Amino acid sequence: MVDFQKIKGFIFDLDGVITLTSKYHSRAWRELADELGVPWTATLAERLKGISRMDSLEMILDAGGKTNGYSDADKERLAAKKNSNYLACLEQMTDADILPGITDFLEELMAHDYKISLASASKNSPKVLEKLNLAKYFANIVDPAKLSKGKPDPEIFLRAAEQLSLKPDACIGIEDASAGIQAINAAGELSIGIGDAETLREAAIHFTATKELTLAAIKRAMQSIA
Ligand code: BG6
Ligand code: MG
């Protein structure tokens, strides 16, 4: 039984939910994969969503059967290279890159005194929020550098709830990636998946696009699964 009245906090993923930096991450990884001679597929691109920088690199090497070919120092260098390509993509970013409906939804949450947090695997999140002029909504950000496990492990969503002083079942997590939905579900929070219904089939609630995010729509969706 999911009770809308019980919800006190919303925990957002960043890349692919607040803005389409997901496409820049993909572009930068693809460049690296091409250089390493690892075939790039839509499945690999989808699997990388929500996954930390080093875990993503391991996934790419694994997909190309190259797990043993690189030392830790090589891996650090490759990950740093991907990151500098990614950072170059961020240069042109402005608040025009916020996905439709996100600012209105954040305003609605603030107006109704919901707590808000960011649970992104990205170490670049504070920079992206600044560029988008959204930092003011996110007084609470989980620092992924202080976590021992990445998504799909629930740790990041549990830490977010803890930082908000809320129990997991008082929180809704919003994600665009399957690994993120699994993390929210494993944390005992209510998951909202934004994007492709089949990819996000494990989400408790599904919306096709961010513009559908309103408290009224979430309340309706919760009633329909209650
Ligand atoms: C996640 C993205 O939010 O952050 C992944 O979905 C990305 O694609 C991960 O690899 C880590 O980001 P960063 O900016 O720390 O390399
Ligand atoms: Mg994402």
Side-chain angles (χ1 to χ4, degrees):
M1 174 72 186
V2 254
D3 179 4
F4 181 77
Q5 300 308 326
K6 215 174 158 180
I7 299 301
K8 305 286 176 220
F10 284 80
I11 305 172
F12 288 77
D13 174 43
L14 174 72
D15 301 311
V17 167
I18 290 176
T19 181
L20 287 184
T21 32
S22 38
K23 71 176 180 219
Y24 299 142
H25 279 295
S26 271
R27 191 183 298 167
W29 281 127
R30 186 185 184 148
E31 231 170 85
L32 191 73
D34 287 350
E35 201 178 297
L36 297 172
V38 175
W40 187 255
T41 62
T43 314
L44 178 58
E46 196 57 49
R47 280 178 58 220
L48 292 175
K49 289 188 184 164
I51 306 299
S52 74
R53 200 178 304 168
M54 282 318 266
D55 287 352
S56 298
L57 176 62
E58 294 290 354
M59 233 180 226
I60 290 169
L61 293 174
D62 188 48
K66 295 175 186 289
T67 330
N68 298 319
Y70 297 89
S71 66
D72 286 351
D74 290 338
K75 289 178 188 171
E76 290 295 342
R77 186 179 47 77
L78 293 171
K81 188 170 186 185
K82 180 267 170 180
N83 195 49
S84 76
N85 286 342
Y86 174 67
L87 290 176
C89 296
L90 292 189
E91 282 306 311
Q92 307 304 320
M93 181 170 245
T94 68
D95 55 9
D97 294 298
I98 301 171
L99 278 167
I102 289 291
T103 308
D104 286 348
F105 185 51
L106 288 167
E107 283 291 333
E108 189 183 20
L109 294 181
M110 297 279 271
H112 290 84
D113 289 328
Y114 284 97
K115 293 182 173 181
I116 300 173
S117 176
L118 192 81
S120 168
S122 175
K123 293 178 177 160
N124 293 304
S125 296
K127 189 187 189 85
V128 174
L129 289 179
E130 284 298 335
K131 287 226 159 239
L132 298 175
N133 207 12
L134 289 179
K136 59 180 177 285
Y137 298 104
F138 293 92
N140 292 287
I141 297 181
V142 179
D143 180 357
K146 297 197 176 123
L147 302 173
S148 56
K149 291 185 184 147
K151 299 170 188 177
D153 189 276
E155 186 180 12
I156 192 165
F157 283 97
L158 289 171
R159 185 71 58 85
E162 202 180 290
Q163 283 181 200
L164 296 178
S165 306
L166 294 176
K167 295 218 172 86
D169 63 2
C171 296
I172 287 183
I174 308 175
E175 266 286 351
D176 68 313
S178 170
I181 293 294
Q182 288 171 35
I184 299 169
N185 291 344
E189 299 167 5
L190 187 85
S191 55
I192 297 184
I194 309 279
D196 177 61
E198 177 51 26
T199 308
L200 301 166
R201 60 190 172 278
E202 292 172 74
I205 292 172
H206 169 256
F207 293 124
T208 306
T210 48
K211 63 177 188 297
E212 294 164 55
L213 280 171
T214 62
L215 286 171
I218 293 168
K219 188 175 180 181
R220 265 197 313 277
M222 286 177 73
Q223 282 161 350
S224 74
I225 57 171

